[in-house]
Amino acid sequence: MRRRPLFQLMLLLDVILFGLASFGANYLLSYEKVEGETYLVVMAVAIAIYLVVRVVGTSSNRVALLAHSRLSDRIADSLMSYGLEDTYNMQRRVDKSRRNSDTQDTIEEAQIIKLAANSGASYLSRGVNRHWKYVQKRLEKGIPVKIILLDPNSSEKAFKNKLNNGNEGADSKLPLEDIIRTAESHPDFQVRFASTGMSCTVFLSHEVAYFDPYHVAMDGGRISNLFFCMKFRSMLPTEGISHFEMLNKHFETLWGNSITLDSWMESKKREHPIAQETRE
């Protein structure tokens, strides 16, 4: 419970107890033969109930909440005023499952799909069996899908491959064959490759954005992809632009500074074994 709702609840309980005590006292006054001991009993009961409410409401954890949650309130209020709708701690299984479910719901309602990611396997790979079937259904309905992936031949990708694989070999997660097959069968499916600027995964629909920042923290011999994700909705803040719009601008900047799938295949087929083998 956040600080403001807790304060409001305690105030409500105080008002209810005051009202009940006042009603009880006035009710007793309407009887002429009520003994003084009855008033004392009613007073004692009212005091006891009030003490219970106060003790429960001022327990150490609730006092700490009232005293120290100002930072969390400021963070939440600031982000929500710019479109924050949900957060997911991807190290928690329940949050990870909820994020996947929410993403699939977003895809099913999307009027456009935009994705900027390292490999896009969760969305584009038929073998991963996570979001692809939902993306495929939108493609079949003529919904445009725009994808930006990190260039497998870029220095950034070589660095991450080295950390993950112990060498600079090809990325096994890149579903290049699936991507080419989809591009050939769906004209609304556009793919580009960027060599710089891929600092996060951004997934957008026409009104919702998911933001996953990247890092190179090693866990178990690989870069951990279990970090923190935020979901933003399109809105109009009182100052500046919404975080949804900021992420959309981020995507469009990458789109304008990347190369098409066909151009990448032509320029890289002699340098990148996967591209050459796939074309053959």
Side-chain angles (χ1 to χ4, degrees):
M1 181 179 288
R2 293 177 59 197
R3 179 169 53 90
R4 186 178 300 170
L6 175 61
F7 175 79
Q8 292 171 341
L9 175 61
M10 296 303 300
L11 178 62
L12 176 63
L13 290 176
D14 283 347
V15 170
I16 291 174
L17 285 173
F18 177 79
L20 289 175
S22 299
F23 175 80
N26 284 282
Y27 183 78
L28 290 175
L29 287 174
S30 64
Y31 293 91
E32 296 180 357
K33 297 182 179 181
V34 174
E35 301 293 335
E37 290 81 358
T38 304
Y39 288 101
L40 292 177
V41 170
V42 172
M43 181 183 69
V45 171
I47 291 175
I49 295 175
Y50 181 77
L51 286 175
V52 170
V53 171
R54 286 286 99 190
V55 169
V56 172
T58 57
S59 61
S60 58
N61 60 331
R62 289 179 174 81
V63 170
L65 178 63
L66 288 169
H68 301 298
S69 70
R70 294 179 181 177
L71 176 60
S72 63
D73 278 354
R74 285 201 303 269
I75 292 173
D77 292 340
S78 176
L79 287 171
M80 290 173 68
S81 66
Y82 280 79
L84 179 71
E85 186 170 274
D86 211 337
T87 61
Y88 312 88
N89 182 348
M90 299 301 285
Q91 295 190 73
R92 299 176 57 192
R93 184 175 301 176
V94 62
D95 277 18
K96 189 175 181 179
S97 176
R98 185 165 54 85
R99 184 268 171 91
N100 287 334
S101 177
D102 289 352
T103 300
Q104 291 161 6
D105 290 341
T106 299
I107 295 173
E108 288 185 319
E109 299 175 358
Q111 298 306 307
I112 187 172
I113 292 173
K114 299 179 180 179
L115 173 68
N118 267 343
S119 68
S122 295
Y123 297 83
L124 307 176
S125 175
R126 291 162 168 79
V128 172
N129 192 28
R130 186 167 299 159
H131 304 316
W132 163 245
K133 61 182 179 181
Y134 299 93
V135 174
Q136 185 180 29
K137 289 179 181 178
R138 301 312 286 164
L139 280 169
E140 291 171 351
K141 291 183 177 295
I143 299 300
V145 176
K146 301 172 70 174
I147 307 294
I148 306 173
L149 302 176
L150 180 60
D151 190 333
N153 279 16
S154 66
S155 58
E156 177 68 17
K157 192 59 176 174
F159 172 61
K160 292 183 177 181
N161 287 347
K162 184 176 181 180
L163 292 176
N164 283 330
N165 306 326
N167 54 57
E168 296 187 9
D171 183 5
S172 59
K173 291 180 65 178
L174 179 66
L176 190 55
E177 293 185 6
D178 290 339
I179 291 171
I180 294 172
R181 191 183 314 154
T182 302
E184 290 175 344
S185 59
H186 294 86
D188 293 314
F189 183 77
Q190 302 178 65
V191 179
R192 288 177 172 259
F193 287 94
S195 58
T196 58
M198 301 291 283
S199 57
C200 56
T201 288
V202 173
F203 169 70
L204 302 111
S205 72
H206 62 290
E207 62 180 0
V208 173
Y210 294 81
F211 171 67
D212 295 81
Y214 288 156
H215 58 78
V216 290
M218 300 294 289
D219 183 20
R222 293 184 61 84
I223 299 173
S224 172
N225 61 355
L226 303 178
F227 192 45
F228 195 75
C229 174
M230 289 181 281
K231 177 184 179 182
F232 296 98
R233 186 168 292 276
S234 177
M235 50 86 70
L236 292 175
T238 56
E239 295 181 73
I241 62 175
S242 68
H243 290 322
F244 170 89
E245 185 61 26
M246 189 77 72
L247 293 172
N248 189 56
K249 288 179 178 292
H250 168 83
F251 180 90
E252 294 302 329
T253 298
L254 289 175
W255 188 263
N257 290 274
S258 55
I259 62 173
T260 66
L261 174 61
D262 287 340
S263 297
W264 180 83
M265 295 293 291
E266 289 299 321
S267 64
K268 302 299 182 181
K269 64 182 180 180
R270 294 182 180 178
E271 305 171 20
H272 188 56
I274 291 182
Q276 188 172 5
E277 292 172 6
T278 302
R279 278 300 191 198
E280 294 175 352

